[in-house]
Amino acid sequence: MSTSDSAARYSRGAIILHWLIALLIVGNFIGAWTSEDLPRDQKMIIMGYHKANGVLILLLTLVRIGWRFVYRPPALLATLKTWEATLARATHALFYLLMLAVPLAGLGLHSAFGKGKPVSMFGLFDFPALPVGSDKPTIGLYHELHEVTATAMLLLIGLHVAAALKHQFLDRDGTMARMLPFLR
């Protein structure tokens, strides 16, 4: 990667937010999957962390969006094909949409199912519930929205990782080094 390419790295704040949110999202998938077959008391503990992490993902995504307006991301590499650049822009837009939609749907589900009970943020403070109904159709709607958007997020993560690996190992164009601080 040339000196001019290294100037096209994401800012330190963007890199930290990217990886922190990514770890929280992966952790939430793992927590949700592993809790399914656990006894109810253990499942409730894990789901408490799942909900708090979801709210944290939502709040960090808002910070990340603000950061993106203040610290513009580097331009896409000029070597990208038109379809790659279009797919990259669409993927990033969908990520931001889903990083808002998945936790909002989850918060809606918690709010409806919990009848307005706030989300405990790791026992430190409570995050308010959304003002939604607690009837079965509302609970069903938010449950379906949370599952569909989470599944879309999982598919998008797969596409994103595959594209990053393609750029790193096939194209060798330095794309991954823009978001990984230890690559050059």
Side-chain angles (χ1 to χ4, degrees), residues 58-122:
L58 177 64
L59 297 175
L60 287 172
T61 298
L62 294 173
V63 170
R64 187 169 175 186
I65 291 168
W67 188 274
R68 192 172 174 97
F69 281 115
V70 175
Y71 299 94
R72 301 299 299 174
L76 295 175
L77 296 179
T79 56
L80 293 181
K81 297 172 184 74
T82 304
W83 69 268
E84 289 175 311
T86 301
L87 188 58
R89 286 186 188 96
T91 300
H92 282 103
L94 280 172
F95 263 126
Y96 283 105
L97 176 68
L98 290 171
M99 288 186 305
L100 296 171
V102 174
L104 279 172
L107 183 58
L109 175 58
H110 168 84
S111 302
F113 191 77
K115 298 182 168 111
K117 182 180 173 187
V119 174
S120 172
M121 296 299 293
F122 311 105

Side-chain angles (χ1 to χ4, degrees), residues 67-178:
W67 188 274
R68 192 172 174 97
F69 281 115
V70 175
Y71 299 94
R72 301 299 299 174
L76 295 175
L77 296 179
T79 56
L80 293 181
K81 297 172 184 74
T82 304
W83 69 268
E84 289 175 311
T86 301
L87 188 58
R89 286 186 188 96
T91 300
H92 282 103
L94 280 172
F95 263 126
Y96 283 105
L97 176 68
L98 290 171
M99 288 186 305
L100 296 171
V102 174
L104 279 172
L107 183 58
L109 175 58
H110 168 84
S111 302
F113 191 77
K115 298 182 168 111
K117 182 180 173 187
V119 174
S120 172
M121 296 299 293
F122 311 105
L124 301 172
F125 62 93
D126 288 338
F127 190 86
L130 295 176
V132 300
S134 57
D135 54 282
K136 283 188 180 191
T138 301
I139 293 169
L141 171 69
Y142 280 109
H143 184 268
E144 190 67 22
L145 282 171
H146 192 55
E147 282 197 355
V148 168
T149 55
T151 300
M153 174 70 81
L154 195 57
L155 293 171
L156 200 59
I157 289 168
L159 175 65
H160 187 62
V161 169
L165 293 173
K166 172 200 173 284
H167 284 285
Q168 180 66 19
F169 297 110
L170 296 179
D171 299 343
R172 299 181 188 270
D173 62 8
T175 296
M176 276 184 63
R178 294 159 48 115

